[in-house]
Amino acid sequence: MEIQWSLVLFTAVAGCGTWASVGVAVDELRGLTERTNRLASAVALVLAVVGGIASVTHLSHPDRIMAVLGHPTPGIFLEALLIGLFILAEVVYLILLARGVSAGVRKAVAVAAAVIGVVFSFASGYSYMMEARPTWNTIALPFGYLGFAAASGLALYLLLAALKKERDEALKLAGIETVVGGVLAIASGLAFGFASGAAMGDSAAVFWVSLACGGVVPAVCGWLACSKPASTLALGVVAFAGGIAGSVAFRAVMWMVGTAVANYFGIAL
Amino acid sequence: MAHNCIVVNLDRCTGCYSCEITCKMENDVALGEYWNKMLQRGPFGEYPNMVRYPLPTMCQQCADAPCVHVCPTGASYRDGNNVVLIDREKCIGCKYCMMACPYGVRDWNKASQTVEKCTLCGHLTANGELPACVKSCSAGARFYGDLDDPNSDVSQELAKYDEADIHELPNVGNNPCTKYIMTSMHGEWMEGVE
């Protein structure tokens, strides 16, 4: 099956952004960083918009897209709704930051954005669970989408915190979050790899590269950032580069192994 | 609720491709695109006991059509006669229906950049005619009608055979309505796909 790059980039880029907001929400609750949240939220907002635009490039008739609003049950509606709500929540959060609104309201909006973002990252994989594609029809697939988005998004937050020269304590927390993201990617990636057969078949090389880049690299870099906060900037760059490359590769693998029950007309999507 | 569909008697089918060609002519299906495609299954087995048979494929009019469930705009829908159809004017070209179809029997129209498929020749059946592929079948192997109507052509043809001789494409919960008749006299139906 041909890789649908528009959809790969949509879920990888937007998922990275939505999970960067998880870093913001955790920090809003802990109150450690001072400068990162504004930048991280702005970047998350931009990534969500860019991801949304990437998804539209997949369509041959985007001019008819409003008809989606009349059909709330398919996965595309849910994805569009969640990414729209996420963008709205990020805009509200940035306005609250700019106006210096009370911490309680800010926390509530940040947590709401993060929850929407996490659900989006899961839902964007859940849409592909269909009986017609046995290799996709496993709950490990949406968890994989979530896991790799977590690794790339939290690695991005680590990088931004390092760029903003946050205190060591804040960098350590961001490092721990990145480790968690990496572990989520490794666990969910392995589950999908063995459930779908991607770990052993023709796509095995790309699959294992995705796991190494998208899971192991962020996890190791996050761990090192905890013990060496002074090196966090370099580690953040490597963690984010690995995370987003792995996230893209994981999604590409999904398309590579997405064989239908039958393809009688022989049409490549 | 009617379940209109095609029944193909493979004991009669000669694999002449007239269904495929007539479908293209009737529905103006472009070169390289299909609403109805004749395949050859096999050969299976070991010489001299080998089996090979023609398999005409098209939309199977699934009772639980996944294409309708996943379509985000309602472009894939069931009409008043319960036939699965596509409204080209609503199709955004997301191809989710093509991903969700277990058989890959939906066509991508390169000119209109929309998904298309067999309509059971609704423009003909609405006027009491038969679908073009049924009308043109030189072997009398294709039948059209309502599975729920015991007097329909499909029901009457199916009634002539044992259940063991009536087959369908792999069912993954979509419950295809299209049936294929093949008796052991003419060959052995191969489950699954090649």
Side-chain angles (χ1 to χ4, degrees), chain B residues 49-77:
Chain B
N49 299 313
M50 302 185 76
V51 175
R52 185 181 183 193
Y53 59 88
L55 183 73
T57 55
M58 59 276 153
C59 173
Q60 303 288 298
Q61 293 295 332
C62 303
D64 295 306
C67 52
V68 174
H69 298 319
V70 301
C71 180
T73 62
S76 284
Y77 70 105

mmCIF file of all heavy atoms in Angstrom, chain B residues 49-77:
data_model
loop_
_atom_site.group_PDB
_atom_site.id
_atom_site.type_symbol
_atom_site.label_atom_id
_atom_site.label_comp_id
_atom_site.label_asym_id
_atom_site.label_seq_id
_atom_site.Cartn_x
_atom_site.Cartn_y
_atom_site.Cartn_z
ATOM 1 N N ASN B 49 -5.363 -32.827 -11.038
ATOM 2 C CA ASN B 49 -6.572 -32.340 -10.357
ATOM 3 C C ASN B 49 -6.441 -30.851 -10.054
ATOM 4 O O ASN B 49 -6.184 -30.459 -8.916
ATOM 5 C CB ASN B 49 -6.803 -33.141 -9.069
ATOM 6 C CG ASN B 49 -7.005 -34.612 -9.366
ATOM 7 O OD1 ASN B 49 -7.770 -34.973 -10.256
ATOM 8 N ND2 ASN B 49 -6.279 -35.469 -8.654
ATOM 9 N N MET B 50 -6.566 -30.066 -11.070
ATOM 10 C CA MET B 50 -6.386 -28.624 -10.900
ATOM 11 C C MET B 50 -7.691 -27.880 -11.142
ATOM 12 O O MET B 50 -8.540 -28.332 -11.888
ATOM 13 C CB MET B 50 -5.300 -28.123 -11.851
ATOM 14 C CG MET B 50 -3.985 -28.851 -11.623
ATOM 15 S SD MET B 50 -2.667 -28.204 -12.596
ATOM 16 C CE MET B 50 -2.300 -26.719 -11.723
ATOM 17 N N VAL B 51 -7.801 -26.740 -10.478
ATOM 18 C CA VAL B 51 -9.026 -25.941 -10.581
ATOM 19 C C VAL B 51 -8.650 -24.515 -10.975
ATOM 20 O O VAL B 51 -7.699 -23.937 -10.446
ATOM 21 C CB VAL B 51 -9.776 -25.895 -9.233
ATOM 22 C CG1 VAL B 51 -10.981 -24.958 -9.318
ATOM 23 C CG2 VAL B 51 -10.213 -27.272 -8.824
ATOM 24 N N ARG B 52 -9.385 -23.977 -11.891
ATOM 25 C CA ARG B 52 -9.264 -22.568 -12.242
ATOM 26 C C ARG B 52 -10.640 -22.096 -12.664
ATOM 27 O O ARG B 52 -11.346 -22.794 -13.388
ATOM 28 C CB ARG B 52 -8.269 -22.383 -13.384
ATOM 29 C CG ARG B 52 -8.021 -20.919 -13.698
ATOM 30 C CD ARG B 52 -7.056 -20.781 -14.846
ATOM 31 N NE ARG B 52 -6.769 -19.378 -15.092
ATOM 32 C CZ ARG B 52 -6.167 -18.921 -16.175
ATOM 33 N NH1 ARG B 52 -5.777 -19.766 -17.116
ATOM 34 N NH2 ARG B 52 -5.951 -17.652 -16.341
ATOM 35 N N TYR B 53 -11.040 -20.942 -12.151
ATOM 36 C CA TYR B 53 -12.367 -20.459 -12.530
ATOM 37 C C TYR B 53 -12.383 -18.937 -12.616
ATOM 38 O O TYR B 53 -11.592 -18.267 -11.965
ATOM 39 C CB TYR B 53 -13.447 -20.966 -11.568
ATOM 40 C CG TYR B 53 -13.267 -20.571 -10.113
ATOM 41 C CD1 TYR B 53 -13.787 -19.378 -9.622
ATOM 42 C CD2 TYR B 53 -12.619 -21.423 -9.221
ATOM 43 C CE1 TYR B 53 -13.649 -19.030 -8.294
ATOM 44 C CE2 TYR B 53 -12.477 -21.086 -7.889
ATOM 45 C CZ TYR B 53 -12.983 -19.889 -7.430
ATOM 46 O OH TYR B 53 -12.844 -19.545 -6.117
ATOM 47 N N PRO B 54 -13.280 -18.415 -13.458
ATOM 48 C CA PRO B 54 -13.408 -16.955 -13.550
ATOM 49 C C PRO B 54 -14.153 -16.417 -12.332
ATOM 50 O O PRO B 54 -15.034 -17.102 -11.788
ATOM 51 C CB PRO B 54 -14.225 -16.752 -14.822
ATOM 52 C CG PRO B 54 -15.007 -18.004 -14.988
ATOM 53 C CD PRO B 54 -14.201 -19.117 -14.373
ATOM 54 N N LEU B 55 -13.797 -15.211 -11.919
ATOM 55 C CA LEU B 55 -14.476 -14.594 -10.773
ATOM 56 C C LEU B 55 -14.764 -13.132 -11.101
ATOM 57 O O LEU B 55 -13.891 -12.273 -10.978
ATOM 58 C CB LEU B 55 -13.600 -14.680 -9.510
ATOM 59 C CG LEU B 55 -14.252 -14.134 -8.244
ATOM 60 C CD1 LEU B 55 -15.348 -15.064 -7.738
ATOM 61 C CD2 LEU B 55 -13.213 -13.935 -7.146
ATOM 62 N N PRO B 56 -15.991 -12.846 -11.531
ATOM 63 C CA PRO B 56 -16.344 -11.441 -11.778
ATOM 64 C C PRO B 56 -16.530 -10.721 -10.435
ATOM 65 O O PRO B 56 -17.228 -11.235 -9.557
ATOM 66 C CB PRO B 56 -17.677 -11.522 -12.525
ATOM 67 C CG PRO B 56 -17.975 -12.975 -12.719
ATOM 68 C CD PRO B 56 -17.119 -13.757 -11.787
ATOM 69 N N THR B 57 -15.880 -9.583 -10.286
ATOM 70 C CA THR B 57 -15.967 -8.862 -9.009
ATOM 71 C C THR B 57 -16.536 -7.469 -9.217
ATOM 72 O O THR B 57 -16.314 -6.839 -10.249
ATOM 73 C CB THR B 57 -14.582 -8.732 -8.353
ATOM 74 O OG1 THR B 57 -13.695 -8.112 -9.290
ATOM 75 C CG2 THR B 57 -14.018 -10.082 -7.967
ATOM 76 N N MET B 58 -17.268 -7.025 -8.236
ATOM 77 C CA MET B 58 -17.848 -5.677 -8.237
ATOM 78 C C MET B 58 -18.304 -5.399 -6.815
ATOM 79 O O MET B 58 -18.124 -6.248 -5.946
ATOM 80 C CB MET B 58 -19.039 -5.569 -9.200
ATOM 81 C CG MET B 58 -20.185 -6.504 -8.908
ATOM 82 S SD MET B 58 -19.866 -8.110 -9.652
ATOM 83 C CE MET B 58 -20.806 -9.189 -8.595
ATOM 84 N N CYS B 59 -18.888 -4.224 -6.568
ATOM 85 C CA CYS B 59 -19.402 -3.912 -5.238
ATOM 86 C C CYS B 59 -20.324 -5.036 -4.798
ATOM 87 O O CYS B 59 -21.221 -5.449 -5.537
ATOM 88 C CB CYS B 59 -20.159 -2.587 -5.261
ATOM 89 S SG CYS B 59 -20.996 -2.232 -3.693
ATOM 90 N N GLN B 60 -20.105 -5.524 -3.581
ATOM 91 C CA GLN B 60 -20.848 -6.683 -3.096
ATOM 92 C C GLN B 60 -22.126 -6.290 -2.355
ATOM 93 O O GLN B 60 -22.794 -7.141 -1.783
ATOM 94 C CB GLN B 60 -19.954 -7.528 -2.176
ATOM 95 C CG GLN B 60 -18.663 -7.990 -2.849
ATOM 96 C CD GLN B 60 -18.887 -9.075 -3.883
ATOM 97 O OE1 GLN B 60 -19.354 -10.163 -3.569
ATOM 98 N NE2 GLN B 60 -18.571 -8.788 -5.142
ATOM 99 N N GLN B 61 -22.441 -4.995 -2.349
ATOM 100 C CA GLN B 61 -23.670 -4.516 -1.691
ATOM 101 C C GLN B 61 -23.788 -5.084 -0.271
ATOM 102 O O GLN B 61 -24.798 -5.710 0.102
ATOM 103 C CB GLN B 61 -24.905 -4.873 -2.526
ATOM 104 C CG GLN B 61 -24.967 -4.130 -3.841
ATOM 105 C CD GLN B 61 -25.132 -2.620 -3.663
ATOM 106 O OE1 GLN B 61 -25.688 -2.154 -2.669
ATOM 107 N NE2 GLN B 61 -24.621 -1.853 -4.621
ATOM 108 N N CYS B 62 -22.737 -4.861 0.525
ATOM 109 C CA CYS B 62 -22.676 -5.428 1.887
ATOM 110 C C CYS B 62 -23.851 -4.956 2.746
ATOM 111 O O CYS B 62 -24.231 -3.776 2.700
ATOM 112 C CB CYS B 62 -21.376 -5.020 2.562
ATOM 113 S SG CYS B 62 -19.910 -5.507 1.627
ATOM 114 N N ALA B 63 -24.380 -5.866 3.528
ATOM 115 C CA ALA B 63 -25.471 -5.507 4.440
ATOM 116 C C ALA B 63 -24.965 -4.542 5.512
ATOM 117 O O ALA B 63 -25.687 -3.637 5.935
ATOM 118 C CB ALA B 63 -26.051 -6.768 5.076
ATOM 119 N N ASP B 64 -23.735 -4.758 5.979
ATOM 120 C CA ASP B 64 -23.107 -3.836 6.933
ATOM 121 C C ASP B 64 -21.933 -3.164 6.224
ATOM 122 O O ASP B 64 -20.777 -3.478 6.498
ATOM 123 C CB ASP B 64 -22.627 -4.595 8.173
ATOM 124 C CG ASP B 64 -23.790 -5.185 8.944
ATOM 125 O OD1 ASP B 64 -24.703 -4.423 9.276
ATOM 126 O OD2 ASP B 64 -23.791 -6.410 9.183
ATOM 127 N N ALA B 65 -22.255 -2.280 5.317
ATOM 128 C CA ALA B 65 -21.233 -1.710 4.429
ATOM 129 C C ALA B 65 -20.281 -0.779 5.189
ATOM 130 O O ALA B 65 -20.688 0.299 5.629
ATOM 131 C CB ALA B 65 -21.910 -0.954 3.302
ATOM 132 N N PRO B 66 -18.997 -1.170 5.328
ATOM 133 C CA PRO B 66 -18.046 -0.318 6.047
ATOM 134 C C PRO B 66 -17.781 1.001 5.335
ATOM 135 O O PRO B 66 -17.480 2.008 5.972
ATOM 136 C CB PRO B 66 -16.774 -1.169 6.133
ATOM 137 C CG PRO B 66 -16.931 -2.247 5.119
ATOM 138 C CD PRO B 66 -18.388 -2.436 4.902
ATOM 139 N N CYS B 67 -17.947 1.011 3.999
ATOM 140 C CA CYS B 67 -17.714 2.244 3.242
ATOM 141 C C CYS B 67 -18.694 3.329 3.662
ATOM 142 O O CYS B 67 -18.345 4.508 3.735
ATOM 143 C CB CYS B 67 -17.837 1.966 1.750
ATOM 144 S SG CYS B 67 -19.375 1.131 1.286
ATOM 145 N N VAL B 68 -19.928 2.918 3.942
ATOM 146 C CA VAL B 68 -20.949 3.889 4.365
ATOM 147 C C VAL B 68 -20.638 4.392 5.771
ATOM 148 O O VAL B 68 -20.774 5.580 6.074
ATOM 149 C CB VAL B 68 -22.359 3.248 4.320
ATOM 150 C CG1 VAL B 68 -23.407 4.195 4.892
ATOM 151 C CG2 VAL B 68 -22.712 2.867 2.887
ATOM 152 N N HIS B 69 -20.158 3.481 6.633
ATOM 153 C CA HIS B 69 -19.865 3.866 8.021
ATOM 154 C C HIS B 69 -18.742 4.901 8.101
ATOM 155 O O HIS B 69 -18.779 5.793 8.939
ATOM 156 C CB HIS B 69 -19.465 2.634 8.847
ATOM 157 C CG HIS B 69 -20.553 1.605 8.945
ATOM 158 N ND1 HIS B 69 -21.872 1.942 9.146
ATOM 159 C CD2 HIS B 69 -20.517 0.251 8.875
ATOM 160 C CE1 HIS B 69 -22.605 0.835 9.187
ATOM 161 N NE2 HIS B 69 -21.809 -0.201 9.020
ATOM 162 N N VAL B 70 -17.702 4.756 7.249
ATOM 163 C CA VAL B 70 -16.527 5.633 7.407
ATOM 164 C C VAL B 70 -16.624 6.924 6.605
ATOM 165 O O VAL B 70 -15.850 7.848 6.849
ATOM 166 C CB VAL B 70 -15.217 4.908 7.013
ATOM 167 C CG1 VAL B 70 -15.012 3.667 7.862
ATOM 168 C CG2 VAL B 70 -15.182 4.575 5.528
ATOM 169 N N CYS B 71 -17.542 7.002 5.666
ATOM 170 C CA CYS B 71 -17.599 8.200 4.807
ATOM 171 C C CYS B 71 -17.928 9.439 5.645
ATOM 172 O O CYS B 71 -18.977 9.494 6.293
ATOM 173 C CB CYS B 71 -18.647 8.026 3.705
ATOM 174 S SG CYS B 71 -18.746 9.480 2.642
ATOM 175 N N PRO B 72 -17.053 10.445 5.607
ATOM 176 C CA PRO B 72 -17.260 11.602 6.493
ATOM 177 C C PRO B 72 -18.298 12.597 5.997
ATOM 178 O O PRO B 72 -18.693 13.479 6.748
ATOM 179 C CB PRO B 72 -15.867 12.248 6.538
ATOM 180 C CG PRO B 72 -15.241 11.896 5.244
ATOM 181 C CD PRO B 72 -15.785 10.542 4.867
ATOM 182 N N THR B 73 -18.723 12.487 4.745
ATOM 183 C CA THR B 73 -19.655 13.488 4.210
ATOM 184 C C THR B 73 -21.010 12.911 3.815
ATOM 185 O O THR B 73 -21.872 13.663 3.366
ATOM 186 C CB THR B 73 -19.059 14.172 2.957
ATOM 187 O OG1 THR B 73 -18.868 13.173 1.957
ATOM 188 C CG2 THR B 73 -17.742 14.851 3.274
ATOM 189 N N GLY B 74 -21.167 11.607 3.954
ATOM 190 C CA GLY B 74 -22.422 11.007 3.511
ATOM 191 C C GLY B 74 -22.448 10.775 2.010
ATOM 192 O O GLY B 74 -23.506 10.475 1.438
ATOM 193 N N ALA B 75 -21.276 10.913 1.350
ATOM 194 C CA ALA B 75 -21.219 10.666 -0.092
ATOM 195 C C ALA B 75 -21.504 9.195 -0.385
ATOM 196 O O ALA B 75 -22.150 8.862 -1.374
ATOM 197 C CB ALA B 75 -19.853 11.070 -0.649
ATOM 198 N N SER B 76 -21.008 8.307 0.472
ATOM 199 C CA SER B 76 -21.378 6.888 0.373
ATOM 200 C C SER B 76 -22.634 6.701 1.212
ATOM 201 O O SER B 76 -22.629 7.017 2.407
ATOM 202 C CB SER B 76 -20.257 5.998 0.915
ATOM 203 O OG SER B 76 -19.205 5.915 -0.001
ATOM 204 N N TYR B 77 -23.661 6.216 0.601
ATOM 205 C CA TYR B 77 -24.941 6.154 1.303
ATOM 206 C C TYR B 77 -25.791 5.007 0.755
ATOM 207 O O TYR B 77 -25.431 4.366 -0.229
ATOM 208 C CB TYR B 77 -25.704 7.481 1.132
ATOM 209 C CG TYR B 77 -26.211 7.716 -0.269
ATOM 210 C CD1 TYR B 77 -27.570 7.554 -0.577
ATOM 211 C CD2 TYR B 77 -25.353 8.066 -1.313
ATOM 212 C CE1 TYR B 77 -28.042 7.753 -1.873
ATOM 213 C CE2 TYR B 77 -25.823 8.260 -2.610
ATOM 214 C CZ TYR B 77 -27.163 8.105 -2.880
ATOM 215 O OH TYR B 77 -27.623 8.299 -4.158
#
